Amino acid sequence: MALGDLVVASRFSVSSMAYNPLEGFASSGNHVNGDDMRIMSSSNSINNNSNICDFPEGASSSYAALMTTTSSMAYLPQTLVLCELRHDGFEESVPSGPSNSGLIAKWWPRDRMKTGCVALVLCLNISVNPPDVIKISPCARIECWIDPFSMIPQKALETIGRALTQQYERWQPRARYKMSLDPTVEEVKKLCTTCRKYAKSERVLFHYNGHGVPKPTANGEIWLFNKSYTQYIPLPINELDSWLKTPSIYVFDCSAAGMIVNAFMELQDCTISTSGPSTRDCILLAACEAHECLPQSVEFPADMFTSCLTTPIKMALRWFCSRSLLHESFDYSLIDKIPCRPTDRKTLLGELNWIFTAVTDTIAWNVLPHDLFQRLFRQDLLVASLFRNYLLAERIMRSANCSPISYPPLPSTHQHHMWDAWDMAAEICLAQLPNLVGDPNTEFLPSPFFTEQLTAFEMWLDHGSEHKKPPERLPIVLQVLLSHCHRCRALVLLGRYLDMGPWAVDLALSVGIFPYVLKLLQTTTPELQQILVFVWTKILALDKACQVDLVKDGEQTYFIRFLDSVEAYPEQRAMAAFVLAVIVDGHRRGQEACTEAGLIHVCLRQLQGSSPLEAQNEPLFLQWLCLCLGKLWEDFTEAQMTGLQMDAPAILAPLLLEPQPEVRAAAIFSLGTVLDIGFDTSRDGLVDEDCNADEKIRDEVGVVKSLLSVVSDGSPLVRAEVAVALSRFAFGHNKHLKSVAAAYWKPQSNSVLTSLPSFVIKGSGSGHTTPTHYMPQGSIVSSTIAPSLRFGNESQSVVRDGRVSTSSPLATPGIMHGSPLSDDSSQHSDSGMLNDCVSNGGLNRTRPRPLDNALYLQCVLAMCTLAKDPSPRVAGLGQRVLSIIGIEQVAAKSVKSGGGSVRPGESISTPKPSLAGLARSSSWFELNGGHFPLTFRTPPVSPPRPSYLGMRRVFSLEFRPHLMNSADSGLADPRLGSDGPSGVSEPSFLPQSNIYNWSCGHFSKPLLTAADDSEELIARREEREKMALDHILKCQHSSVSKLHNQIASWDTKFETGTNSALLLPFLPVVIAADEKERIRVWNYEQATLLNSFDNHDYPDQGISRLYLVNELDESLLLVASKDGNIRIWKDYMSKGHQKLVTAFSSVQGNRPGACNVNTVVDWQQHSGYLFTSGEMSSIMAWDMDKEQLVNTIPLTSDCSVSA
């Protein structure tokens, strides 16, 4: 019912708009004849672009009263249909789902680098000053917090060396440490080669302290000693690099250290110019630039750079105290007495170390490119620690007019505002230090640093977006994930952030979130389960590459326990099912681990429930339980057998009646993948072919019957899954399906034709359609051989409990053994099509036992129905399924007979085939309504005898040999021409399901906040509602007069004349269609063509009706064809950009003897119902929100519905 129908209805009843969706059929749209379009209006009518004219005085008060008392709900439909994710480009786009995009591997490589050996070279030459350095008095003397002049030189040197080793061990305790004190060149060479030998492919750290030797030379040479310590010996950087090789990291703590860095960069450039891009992994840290000397102030240690790198907290606190208000009253010796270990976060030292790590990580992540941040701060623990401390060194040494440098170079960070947060946290902690040192029992009060930073991050979440600056405190959120006191809040905030989109997940992974959330799966805290599952949902929705890590650590059990819990909401458990589905998706080890953990039992119990009240009914949860099961046993025999033993098909079958198409499609996917078609290469032939054969046949029959019940579902998403599932069945039973199909369409004698049953669908009590057994039905379809057909009681003798008797041609020996004709012709058949077993590498498929031939015939007819589906994608899948059983598409050929011939291009009026009321015909063209003819890849046979061609128009079915090397193979994919049944020998050649990938898109979208409609859409709807109400009320008080004012007139340029037209209510636009279903959209004010397109390209053509769907919002165009097919379009006014939203066949089961369908439809927006009928004895009610046939209303008379 369109908006105009509501206007008409309101003229007669203003006070009440009571509505029964199954009553009343209103008309919308104008049916016109001819090419000339004219739009007329009466003198009192209102043009939809003009202002509302004034009412007479007597009506004005009544109009105002109605405006204030009548709600828009009484007139305007609020129901929106066909605007879900599944309707967004179903025909055009193919979703990819979670992929191995490599993001997790990029930001968290499994082969992380480790520093395996550390070489410490100290050239101090205590008590001897280098010749090129003039020292002030007093000057800095402290090395590794030791005064070298407090003991004899040799002992001081050894003590300093041990202290430096201990300081490095704080950051990498498992590395090998080698010292060389005041060494010669030979000693350094031996040291370097030994370290490289120990480290193998790991990183080697070379620390050089040159405080007792001259500055490096301009060529980048560092100075060592001769054996007698009488000369300084230079060591070129290229020789040192050749000894240490790669990967390596150098620390140079000496004056003019920048000379070394410059020489190394020149060496790198020279290598690149001669041998191409270098793969050497070398990192350099230098204390100062080439023209600078180290600070000599006595307030600093002599090795300030080394102290910042190895003892950052002590150095930072001393430097801070000297510049804060504490410098006069604070006892610096207390810093050396800070209690407890730096790894204990509940102590002052642990708190400071934790805050320092968070601050330096935050600075680095916000300043560095993310790939460089990953290399320096996430790849190697020791390198990451050194670079965090290097940021502190830059801040402190710049205050002493010294600028540390590095390779790769880093931008300046010494003035970053996060240092202010560090200073405040340090001051708060230092204020407690005297009491903590004086009284060991004093309780330490944690700093408010992390609480404040989480609050700042929360504020960003309230106002930030993808197009704004990223949240700079994201690394701090990462740091607090492993803290008990802040973990829950941090996880909640992290979940909110990840929910903002894939870009947010990418940034979080770049910070290094993955190992943290992976470790958190080991916790058993109930409060964290829901948010952890949500976080993993967001990560896996973007990248499934981490499924290996989850299974390796046994973390799948965490999600299985959550899935089986009763405390969580169904929506939350749906996320756990999604995570588990991703874990097992194409991952055999994941399938095995989840099967061993009892995932199948958990999912089936959730689907079934111990009682009807306990059974789950949340659509998203049902959908993902089915998808999880489908992915779990997809091509995995062990899981398939487990599912069949638990009666999984019987549990899944009721879901095919669910109102949500996604649930129905997911259930079909699960039913289809439970079929074992021999793609599990892990069995190695250990499964006994005859083991539980009867049970397997029974299960297969149950699955196939369930699939056949939804062949005519209203959603193309569902029908596409049916086609994919039937393709798996067709691959496994190719030989038998091909034989039945060939025998069915081969011209037979009268006795043969009398034995063919028909498949009918009858309505169940709930209004849904369910398949019945094969039942005889009289004279259903007019055939070219109608005089030879005898239906009725004769055919009952060949049907026994749904099986074909031995007198049926389907049960003849030739057919039962695979020959489509007779035993004599079997020698001509293509042996490659009928091989009982396929061997292709690891593929070993055993021959399935044959099922009931009547069931095979049902499957063939269902495949034919799918092959002519109004949805192009479903039709393509159906045709690929037919190619699997040996049927290929060929051009139609006209055959003269009887009363006349068919003109070129003339469409043939034949009954629409469907699973409802199909009888045997001698031609494929009749069966398929003229959409496309097929040919079998079978041995050559004689053409049909003329006696069988008794009707006026006949298209013959060709039988021709299939040539494997022929260019015209008729196969959907040329690769199908390989060995195996129908040339199919690989699972990848079968049609692939899309429901899993489509469903994964749900979790990539925001889940915590409802998607708000844009203000523009809301404003437009309010404007249209007001306009519609104004027009309705005006019409209620207007007098009906003759239409004499012509608004517009133009030539539609249709060759066959305009068949149907539709006016848009809010735009000067009219949609017109001709008999060939060519649709044109016109702006009638400007007489310009906005768009033109074909509704479809099938031969059967003819428009029944045009309707607007969701006309108050983004309207859709519903096009009803005379053959009963419904197609709904979006963006139909944009030239060349129209998209098919959905398509389905709306009529099922024509009246016996009917030659044409002549479908009649009516659309009612406020209920979302589409009513269809025609040459049939019932009216079908389709719920377009559910995309499902919800009721079949029987007609009392035998007359057809005409309007």
Side-chain angles (χ1 to χ4, degrees):
M1 180 179 288
L3 197 59
D5 303 316
L6 293 172
V7 174
V8 175
S10 65
R11 289 175 55 86
F12 300 98
S13 177
V14 178
S15 60
S16 175
M17 289 289 290
Y19 168 71
N20 183 345
L22 301 182
E23 295 178 358
F25 299 90
S27 170
S28 68
N30 304 305
H31 291 264
V32 297
N33 294 320
D35 300 336
D36 188 43
M37 289 289 296
R38 291 182 175 84
I39 302 178
M40 310 296 291
S41 69
S42 66
S43 57
N44 294 328
S45 64
I46 306 168
N47 189 301
N48 45 8
N49 286 318
S50 62
N51 296 325
I52 301 174
C53 24
D54 297 331
F55 289 107
E57 287 186 341
S60 60
S61 59
S62 175
Y63 171 79
L66 283 170
M67 284 297 294
T68 57
T69 59
T70 304
S71 168
S72 64
M73 291 294 292
Y75 295 98
L76 304 180
Q78 302 293 324
T79 304
L80 286 178
V81 296
L82 305 176
C83 53
E84 302 295 334
L85 175 65
R86 64 181 181 272
H87 303 119
D88 188 12
F90 171 79
E91 298 293 341
E92 294 84 7
S93 61
V94 178
S96 58
S99 63
N100 292 298
S101 60
L103 281 177
I104 293 177
K106 175 183 178 183
W107 300 129
W108 190 63
R110 295 183 179 88
D111 52 342
R112 299 182 66 183
M113 187 66 65
K114 183 177 71 172
T115 300
C117 199
V118 178
L120 304 177
V121 177
L122 278 69
C123 298
L124 296 180
N125 200 11
I126 299 174
S127 74
V128 178
N129 293 330
D132 59 347
V133 176
I134 301 176
K135 292 190 176 181
I136 63 175
S137 181
C139 68
R141 300 190 304 181
I142 302 297
E143 300 277 355
C144 294
W145 304 106
I146 297 173
D147 186 354
F149 295 96
S150 62
M151 58 191 77
I152 61 175
Q154 184 60 31
K155 183 178 179 181
L157 183 62
E158 294 174 357
T159 304
I160 293 171
R162 287 194 298 270
L164 182 60
T165 302
Q166 293 173 359
Q167 290 174 187
Y168 267 111
E169 285 177 340
R170 154 76 176 83
W171 306 106
Q172 179 57 288
R174 297 183 179 180
R176 290 174 177 260
Y177 289 88
K178 300 290 182 180
M179 283 191 304
S180 187
L181 307 177
D182 290 346
T184 62
V185 173
E186 289 75 14
E187 292 172 340
V188 171
K189 180 179 180 180
K190 181 180 179 180
L191 174 69
C192 293
T193 53
T194 302
C195 288
R196 174 48 61 193
K197 179 180 178 181
Y198 285 144
K200 297 181 180 178
S201 60
E202 296 177 340
R203 195 186 306 275
V204 175
L205 186 146
F206 181 85
H207 181 102
Y208 173 77
N209 184 324
H211 295 172
V213 295
K215 301 176 184 177
T217 66
N219 294 329
E221 298 167 319
I222 59 175
W223 295 99
L224 302 173
F225 302 97
N226 61 1
K227 293 184 179 180
S228 59
Y229 295 98
T230 58
Q231 289 182 335
Y232 298 111
I233 307 298
L235 174 62
I237 187 65
N238 59 340
E239 290 191 23
L240 180 63
D241 181 64
S242 66
W243 298 336
L244 282 179
K245 297 183 173 60
T246 187
S248 57
I249 178 173
Y250 300 86
V251 177
F252 296 104
D253 188 353
C254 60
S255 296
M259 291 283 192
I260 307 172
V261 177
N262 294 338
F264 183 84
M265 294 174 65
E266 292 178 2
L267 178 64
Q268 290 288 90
D269 294 340
C270 180
T271 303
I272 293 175
S273 62
T274 56
S275 59
S278 175
T279 59
R280 298 177 60 82
D281 182 7
C282 295
I283 299 172
L284 284 78
L285 298 175
C288 58
E289 293 186 357
H291 62 280
E292 293 177 341
C293 294
L294 294 178
Q296 298 185 25
S297 174
V298 71
E299 65 175 327
F300 300 117
D303 62 344
M304 182 191 299
F305 187 62
T306 299
S307 297
C308 289
L309 294 181
T310 58
T311 56
I313 301 301
K314 185 175 184 178
M315 190 66 197
L317 293 178
R318 283 181 172 272
W319 182 83
F320 170 74
C321 290
S322 65
R323 279 156 177 76
S324 70
L325 298 176
L326 300 174
H327 73 280
E328 295 181 355
S329 59
F330 188 78
D331 184 2
Y332 284 68
S333 63
L334 293 177
I335 297 177
D336 299 327
K337 301 176 183 178
I338 296 178
C340 298
R341 297 171 300 169
T343 56
D344 188 355
R345 293 191 178 98
K346 296 181 180 180
T347 64
L348 186 147
L349 186 58
E351 178 93 352
L352 285 172
N353 186 69
W354 188 20
I355 295 174
F356 179 79
T357 302
V359 168
T360 50
D361 265 11
T362 301
I363 295 174
W365 186 74
N366 282 280
V367 171
L368 302 182
H370 289 173
D371 54 347
L372 183 58
F373 173 83
Q374 172 67 27
R375 177 189 173 192
L376 301 181
F377 286 81
R378 292 293 182 265
Q379 198 176 74
D380 187 319
L381 291 177
L382 181 57
V383 172
S385 300
L386 290 178
F387 268 92
R388 291 191 191 100
N389 303 341
Y390 172 81
L391 300 184
L392 175 68
E394 184 192 12
R395 185 190 191 203
I396 293 178
M397 297 188 71
R398 278 185 178 269
S399 66
N401 299 318
C402 193
S403 303
I405 61 175
S406 67
Y407 179 85
L410 304 185
S412 176
T413 61
H414 67 286
Q415 292 182 333
H416 197 279
H417 64 87
M418 283 302 296
W419 287 120
D420 297 332
W422 159 254
D423 291 342
M424 178 176 291
E427 185 173 8
I428 292 174
C429 291
L430 286 176
Q432 303 182 58
L433 185 57
N435 294 332
L436 293 173
V437 174
D439 184 4
N441 296 324
T442 303
E443 183 179 358
F444 169 69
L445 299 178
S447 167
F449 172 82
F450 289 107
T451 302
E452 295 170 351
Q453 297 301 316
L454 289 178
T455 301
F457 181 71
E458 187 173 8
M459 293 180 63
W460 186 94
L461 291 177
D462 294 335
H463 305 284
S465 68
E466 179 181 6
H467 307 292
K468 295 183 179 180
K469 184 180 179 181
E472 62 180 19
R473 290 168 177 82
L474 188 58
I476 297 178
V477 178
L478 176 69
Q479 284 294 323
V480 298
L481 285 180
L482 298 181
S483 169
H484 292 284
C485 54
H486 301 290
R487 180 182 297 162
C488 187
R489 184 187 180 194
L491 273 175
V492 171
L493 295 179
L494 178 62
R496 287 183 55 190
Y497 176 69
L498 297 180
D499 194 51
M500 299 181 76
W503 62 272
V505 180
D506 185 22
L507 284 178
L509 291 173
S510 72
V511 174
I513 187 180
F514 184 80
Y516 287 73
V517 294
L518 183 62
K519 188 174 182 179
L520 284 177
L521 292 177
Q522 301 172 7
T523 64
T524 57
T525 308
E527 295 80 9
L528 300 180
Q529 290 182 351
Q530 296 179 4
I531 186 61
L532 263 179
V533 170
F534 180 84
V535 168
W536 274 102
T537 297
K538 285 298 179 179
I539 294 175
L540 292 174
L542 181 65
D543 189 354
K544 71 172 184 178
C546 60
Q547 58 185 183
V548 176
D549 303 281
L550 289 170
V551 175
K552 179 181 65 176
D553 298 332
E555 306 300 352
Q556 74 278 356
T557 57
Y558 185 92
F559 300 100
I560 294 177
R561 288 195 303 268
F562 185 85
L563 180 65
D564 199 28
S565 64
V566 295
E567 293 82 8
Y569 291 106
E571 296 87 348
Q572 297 167 338
R573 284 187 280 169
M575 298 179 192
F578 163 75
V579 172
L580 290 166
V582 176
I583 289 176
V584 301
D585 180 20
H587 184 212
R588 177 49 52 86
R589 185 65 194 97
Q591 291 175 313
E592 295 172 349
C594 290
T595 302
E596 294 170 0
L599 179 57
I600 296 177
H601 176 68
V602 171
C603 291
L604 292 178
R605 186 171 67 247
Q606 296 293 338
L607 287 172
Q608 190 176 26
S610 58
S611 67
L613 296 177
E614 294 182 8
Q616 295 297 333
N617 55 10
E618 171 60 35
L620 186 65
F621 189 33
L622 294 175
Q623 176 183 348
W624 276 103
L625 285 173
C626 295
L627 292 174
C628 183
L629 286 172
K631 282 295 179 181
L632 178 58
W633 57 44
E634 186 176 28
D635 301 329
F636 182 35
T637 304
E638 181 182 346
Q640 291 170 346
M641 294 175 61
T642 302
L644 293 176
Q645 291 171 1
M646 295 182 180
D647 206 13
I651 298 174
L652 292 168
L655 299 178
L656 302 182
L657 300 179
E658 285 293 315
Q660 295 79 18
E662 293 87 351
V663 176
R664 303 198 299 271
I668 294 169
F669 170 75
S670 186
L671 287 170
T673 54
V674 82
L675 295 174
D676 178 18
I677 57 174
F679 287 155
D680 184 0
T681 59
S682 64
R683 295 179 297 173
D684 297 328
L686 299 179
V687 179
D688 187 359
E689 179 181 353
D690 296 327
C691 179
N692 299 324
D694 294 336
E695 289 80 0
K696 183 176 181 180
I697 290 178
R698 181 197 62 198
D699 293 331
E700 280 191 336
V701 169
V703 169
V704 172
K705 287 184 177 180
S706 297
L707 297 177
L708 294 176
S709 69
V710 285
V711 168
S712 299
D713 192 276
S715 172
L717 185 68
V718 176
R719 300 195 304 276
E721 293 304 315
V722 174
V724 173
L726 287 178
S727 72
R728 294 174 60 89
F729 177 75
F731 182 86
H733 295 261
N734 168 276
K735 170 183 175 181
H736 311 293
L737 287 168
K738 178 181 177 182
S739 300
V740 170
Y744 184 72
W745 282 296
K746 176 190 174 185
Q748 302 287 347
S749 63
N750 294 352
S751 61
V752 169
L753 295 175
T754 60
S755 63
L756 281 167
S758 62
F759 179 55
V760 297
I761 295 181
K762 65 180 181 179
S764 63
S766 62
H768 303 288
T769 57
T770 56
T772 64
H773 295 290
Y774 272 101
M775 299 176 63
Q777 183 170 341
S779 190
I780 297 175
V781 180
S782 64
S783 172
T784 58
I785 50 175
S788 302
L789 290 175
R790 292 199 300 270
F791 289 98
N793 295 331
E794 290 182 16
S795 62
Q796 295 180 5
S797 61
V798 299
V799 180
R800 298 290 187 273
D801 298 328
R803 297 180 180 270
V804 182
S805 71
T806 55
S807 63
S808 169
L810 301 180
T812 58
I815 292 178
M816 291 302 294
H817 290 85
S819 173
L821 299 172
S822 64
D823 293 339
D824 296 336
S825 64
S826 61
Q827 59 182 331
H828 303 291
S829 64
D830 185 354
S831 60
M833 297 300 108
L834 301 177
N835 285 341
D836 293 339
C837 183
V838 181
S839 294
N840 185 12
L843 181 63
N844 184 12
R845 188 172 68 85
T846 58
R847 181 183 62 186
R849 290 181 56 177
L851 306 181
D852 181 13
N853 283 282
L855 185 63
Y856 284 141
L857 181 57
Q858 294 183 44
C859 292
V860 172
L861 298 180
M863 296 171 190
C864 297
T865 299
L866 293 170
K868 58 184 179 56
D869 195 274
S871 167
R873 172 173 289 186
V874 178
L877 292 172
Q879 293 173 28
R880 291 186 63 185
V881 177
L882 287 178
S883 71
I884 293 175
I885 64 172
I887 302 177
E888 56 185 288
Q889 183 174 346
V890 297
K893 295 196 305 180
S894 176
V895 179
K896 294 183 180 181
S897 62
S901 61
V902 182
R903 292 177 299 169
E906 180 180 353
S907 61
I908 307 302
S909 228
T910 55
K912 171 179 175 56
S914 68
L915 290 181
L918 276 175
R920 191 173 191 277
S921 168
S922 66
S923 75
W924 167 253
F925 190 87
E926 285 182 297
L927 182 70
N928 286 271
H931 288 178
F932 58 88
L934 302 176
T935 183
F936 284 94
R937 293 189 288 264
T938 54
V941 296
S942 301
R945 289 177 295 175
S947 60
Y948 292 110
L949 307 179
M951 300 299 289
R952 291 170 48 190
R953 295 173 180 173
V954 167
F955 279 69
S956 65
L957 173 68
E958 279 192 331
F959 287 81
R960 64 180 182 180
H962 172 65
L963 302 178
M964 187 63 69
N965 298 324
S966 172
D968 181 18
S969 64
L971 295 171
D973 192 323
R975 294 174 296 178
L976 295 176
S978 60
D979 291 341
S982 295
V984 184
S985 61
E986 292 287 348
S988 59
F989 294 161
L990 295 180
Q992 299 299 309
S993 168
N994 280 328
I995 181 60
Y996 171 75
N997 292 338
W998 274 107
S999 302
C1000 289
H1002 170 78
F1003 295 107
S1004 299
K1005 299 179 179 297
L1007 302 177
L1008 299 179
T1009 57
D1012 297 330
D1013 294 329
S1014 66
E1015 295 182 359
E1016 180 181 355
L1017 292 177
I1018 296 176
R1020 180 170 56 190
R1021 180 179 179 89
E1022 291 177 350
E1023 178 183 358
R1024 290 183 173 183
E1025 286 179 350
K1026 184 179 183 301
M1027 180 185 299
L1029 284 175
D1030 291 345
H1031 284 58
I1032 289 172
L1033 294 173
K1034 177 67 185 264
C1035 290
Q1036 289 174 350
H1037 298 82
S1038 64
S1039 59
V1040 179
S1041 59
K1042 295 181 179 180
L1043 299 176
H1044 56 81
N1045 294 334
Q1046 179 172 297
I1047 298 176
S1049 176
W1050 71 99
D1051 183 9
T1052 59
K1053 300 180 181 179
F1054 282 134
E1055 296 178 358
T1056 58
T1058 302
N1059 176 267
S1060 184
L1062 176 67
L1063 278 168
L1064 270 63
F1066 302 107
L1067 295 172
V1069 173
V1070 63
I1071 304 171
D1074 66 356
E1075 187 64 30
K1076 294 183 178 180
E1077 302 199 39
R1078 183 74 177 175
I1079 299 173
R1080 291 177 180 173
V1081 184
W1082 293 84
N1083 183 315
Y1084 58 75
E1085 285 187 345
Q1086 303 174 0
T1088 57
L1089 182 64
L1090 301 179
N1091 193 18
S1092 178
F1093 60 94
D1094 290 319
N1095 190 36
H1096 63 82
D1097 55 2
Y1098 287 147
D1100 278 354
Q1101 294 175 336
I1103 292 286
S1104 173
R1105 203 61 177 275
L1106 300 176
Y1107 284 103
L1108 281 184
V1109 179
N1110 304 336
E1111 55 191 347
L1112 286 176
D1113 300 273
E1114 293 291 338
S1115 62
L1116 308 174
L1117 176 62
L1118 187 152
V1119 183
S1121 301
K1122 290 183 178 179
D1123 60 1
N1125 289 333
I1126 305 295
R1127 295 173 178 85
I1128 301 179
W1129 300 85
K1130 65 185 294 187
D1131 300 331
Y1132 52 88
M1133 288 192 294
S1134 301
K1135 187 174 182 61
H1137 293 88
Q1138 68 279 351
K1139 295 180 180 178
L1140 187 62
V1141 174
T1142 187
F1144 65 99
S1145 178
S1146 64
V1147 293
Q1148 300 172 7
N1150 302 326
R1151 190 184 305 278
C1155 298
N1156 297 291
V1157 180
N1158 292 326
T1159 305
V1160 178
V1161 301
D1162 185 71
W1163 164 245
Q1164 295 185 341
Q1165 179 70 50
H1166 48 301
S1167 67
Y1169 276 39
L1170 179 72
F1171 298 90
T1172 63
S1173 187
E1175 299 293 336
M1176 51 194 301
S1177 58
S1178 61
I1179 299 174
M1180 293 186 168
W1182 294 85
D1183 188 324
M1184 297 305 296
D1185 184 43
K1186 302 175 182 178
E1187 298 186 62
Q1188 192 175 40
L1189 179 65
V1190 294
N1191 206 347
T1192 301
I1193 308 170
L1195 299 178
T1196 56
S1197 65
D1198 293 334
C1199 299
S1200 302
V1201 176
S1202 60

